[in-house]
Amino acid sequence: MFQILHFSDCHLFAAPNGEIGGVRSADALAATVTAAQAGATTSRLAIITGDLSQDGTPESYERAEQLFARLGMPVYAVPGNHDRLVCMQTALTGHPIVWQRSVVVAGWQMVFLNSTLTDPDNPAGLLPAEELSSLEDALLAQPGMPTLVALHHQPMPLDTPWMNRMALTNPDDLFTVLARHPWVRALLFGHIHYPFAGERQGIHLLSAPSTCVQFATGTTHPVFVTQTAGCRWLRLYPDGHLATGIVWI
């Protein structure tokens, strides 16, 4: 068994005092990382499911690396709709935050997808044919190995109507690929700014809370919940089963 940490939706700015919903996102991330450090000694890696940055600036990604370096482990990130992929790829040094397609750790494979659209004004998600092909290639390369897949956008409708307009627009294409590879155990995502746990096709569907502010559920428009932030932990076992929970600050 080994443990990983799952963070999401940091929304950092070039300015250290940048705010989301009245919360300084850099301060909230620092507090979340501190809260997660108790489990960091037993964790092998961390995953960020997008929106590291709010403004897509090099300074925001540099700040992310400085804060996540406190965990003392590799941190794998996927882009979100607020990220700017070219800037993200250029600014991240790999110490500790890495953007790559897949990694194998202790008998588990992690596959990282880019679900963002090229239109920065459209917050919805899409997995184009080349992204789905990359996923298929990674799964074929490790047949039978328990696998976790990470992307930014939620791959199913929720009970929050306005969020459904910003979901992954082709989830059935994703699950068609996953259905051919029954060793996929979990699908991690962010974007919704609150923790979710569900299942489809025997796959755990898990979101992490935002490291800055959460969204209230069941609303027709965005409503911020600013009292708390957090991250998710997952314990991954050799036979493919997992346990998970939330760290709140």
Side-chain angles (χ1 to χ4, degrees):
M1 182 274 292
F2 68 102
Q3 181 167 290
I4 68 173
L5 299 172
H6 175 198
F7 299 84
S8 201
D9 299 279
C10 309
H11 293 280
L12 298 172
F13 294 82
N17 60 350
E19 293 186 355
I20 294 287
V23 173
R24 290 191 178 185
S25 55
D27 291 349
L29 175 58
T32 303
V33 168
T34 297
Q37 281 180 304
T41 56
T42 57
S43 298
R44 297 284 293 268
L45 60 89
I47 295 173
I48 312 170
T49 48
D51 281 355
L52 286 76
S53 175
Q54 172 69 15
D55 57 13
T57 58
E59 294 84 357
S60 63
Y61 293 112
E62 291 163 8
R63 182 162 291 107
E65 288 209 309
Q66 292 166 3
L67 291 170
F68 279 106
R70 298 176 185 178
L71 292 175
M73 68 182 74
V75 180
Y76 296 88
V78 300
N81 55 290
H82 285 278
D83 290 308
R84 296 296 175 263
L85 184 56
V86 172
C87 185
M88 179 176 165
Q89 290 174 313
T90 302
L92 296 180
T93 65
H95 304 287
I97 303 177
V98 182
W99 161 233
Q100 67 185 47
R101 285 302 184 180
S102 64
V103 65
V104 173
V105 178
W108 275 71
Q109 180 175 216
M110 322 283 166
V111 182
F112 308 107
L113 302 177
N114 176 11
S115 61
T116 61
L117 297 172
T118 55
D119 178 2
D121 296 322
N122 189 339
L126 176 72
L127 291 173
E130 58 269 24
E131 201 70 19
L132 294 169
S133 178
S134 176
L135 170 62
E136 186 104 56
D137 289 345
L139 296 174
L140 289 171
Q142 303 293 344
M145 180 178 289
T147 297
L148 178 154
V149 178
L151 74 165
H152 180 62
H153 293 83
Q154 73 270 28
M156 70 294 185
L158 301 165
D159 63 354
T160 306
W162 71 273
M163 284 296 302
N164 290 336
R165 298 192 294 272
M166 305 194 308
L168 186 70
T169 56
N170 63 331
D172 289 344
D173 293 340
L174 169 61
F175 283 100
T176 295
V177 174
L178 298 180
R180 295 193 286 267
H181 306 283
W183 50 91
V184 177
R185 301 302 189 214
L187 193 59
L188 303 188
F189 59 95
H191 194 45
I192 63 174
H193 284 238
Y194 61 85
F196 173 88
E199 188 175 303
R200 177 173 172 178
Q201 297 176 188
I203 300 169
H204 294 279
L205 308 181
L206 301 169
S207 75
S210 167
T211 65
C212 52
V213 295
Q214 314 312 311
F215 287 131
T217 60
T219 62
T220 57
H221 62 281
V223 177
F224 288 120
V225 179
T226 60
Q227 291 90 344
T228 190
C231 66
R232 179 180 289 279
W233 56 263
L234 296 96
R235 297 188 185 115
L236 307 179
Y237 293 83
D239 64 358
H241 85 273
L242 62 85
T244 187
I246 303 296
V247 176
W248 291 110
I249 63 168

